[in-house]
């Protein structure tokens, strides 16, 4: 499935897994952005695992850079990975795209397929999955909430505060 966001100039950027389905993993990703006249191929995140599916993008409005997060489904529970584009290359954020990914950054349990990412005006990245909330402060991940309901989402409000919603 493709996922799309707008870049800092308001142009669409699309990312997708290069094959597979919602139940089978793939071995990579592809990306393209609209430059106002045509679609331009972009370098996708580096897949450090054997698979990548359910790829999603979030724009960091403070820097204009993109954040990609995806599912590796080679085992259950699936592993969530994340990388940030710095304008030149995709970067790991304190272990977010290696080993056990986002689940390895906290002692909280429950990180699974369901996830959401939001970025505040200062560039802090907030990640949630099944009520677990992690915050990237620019140098490390901090656990803000250790769990809750099965489905959670996160947004940044007009006062630049993270707001967690769940069902």
């Amino acid at each position: 499935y493709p996922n799309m966001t707008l870049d800092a100039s308001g142009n669409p950027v699309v990312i997708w897994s290069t094959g597979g389905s919602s139940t089978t993993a793939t071995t990579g990703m592809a990306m393209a952005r609209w430059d106002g006249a045509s679609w331009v191929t972009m370098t996708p995140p580096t897949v450090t695992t054997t698979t990548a599916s359910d790829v999603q993008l979030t724009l960091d409005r403070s820097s204009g850079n993109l954040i990609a997060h995806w599912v590796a489904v080679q085992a259950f529970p699936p592993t969530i990975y994340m990388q940030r584009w710095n304008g030149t290359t995709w970067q790991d954020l304190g272990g977010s795209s290696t080993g056990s990914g986002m689940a390895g950054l906290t002692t909280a349990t429950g990180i699974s397929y369901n996830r959401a990412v939001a970025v505040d005006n200062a560039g802090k990245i907030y990640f949630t999955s099944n009520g677990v909330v992690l915050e990237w402060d620019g140098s490390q991940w901090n656990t803000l909430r250790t769990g809750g309901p099965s489905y959670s989402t996160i947004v940044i409000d007009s006062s630049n505060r993270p707001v967690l919603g769940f069902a």
Side-chain angles (χ1 to χ4, degrees):
Y1 301 102
N3 183 263
M4 181 173 59
T5 193
L6 300 177
D7 67 15
S9 299
N11 294 317
V13 179
V14 181
I15 192 167
W16 64 95
S17 298
T18 53
S21 69
S22 62
T23 57
T24 61
T26 64
T27 56
M29 299 176 228
M31 284 183 75
R33 72 176 173 81
W34 181 255
D35 68 2
S38 63
W39 287 99
V40 177
T41 301
M42 297 178 66
T43 302
T46 304
V47 178
T48 58
T49 62
T50 58
T51 63
S53 66
D54 192 20
V55 184
Q56 298 180 24
L57 289 172
T58 302
L59 176 66
D60 177 349
R61 294 186 191 285
S62 70
S63 67
N65 291 327
L66 296 168
I67 298 162
H69 41 104
W70 65 94
V71 178
V73 291
Q74 62 263 36
F76 189 84
T79 305
I80 307 298
Y81 293 103
M82 181 186 303
Q83 289 180 357
R84 178 178 56 194
W85 180 253
N86 68 8
T88 306
T89 61
W90 288 95
Q91 296 179 310
D92 177 78
L93 302 172
S96 63
S97 66
T98 60
S100 36
M102 299 304 294
L105 305 175
T106 180
T107 57
T109 59
I111 292 178
S112 189
Y113 286 103
N114 169 40
R115 69 198 185 279
V117 174
V119 185
D120 73 11
N121 294 336
K124 284 186 181 176
I125 301 169
Y126 295 90
F127 167 88
T128 185
S129 178
N130 293 341
V132 174
V133 179
L134 303 177
E135 169 201 64
W136 175 255
D137 65 11
S139 61
Q140 67 181 9
W141 288 99
N142 303 297
T143 302
L144 303 182
R145 182 179 168 95
T146 58
S150 296
Y151 298 97
S152 57
T153 190
I154 197 162
V155 296
I156 304 299
D157 71 12
S158 61
S159 297
N160 204 38
R161 298 175 299 205
V163 178
L164 180 67
F166 47 86

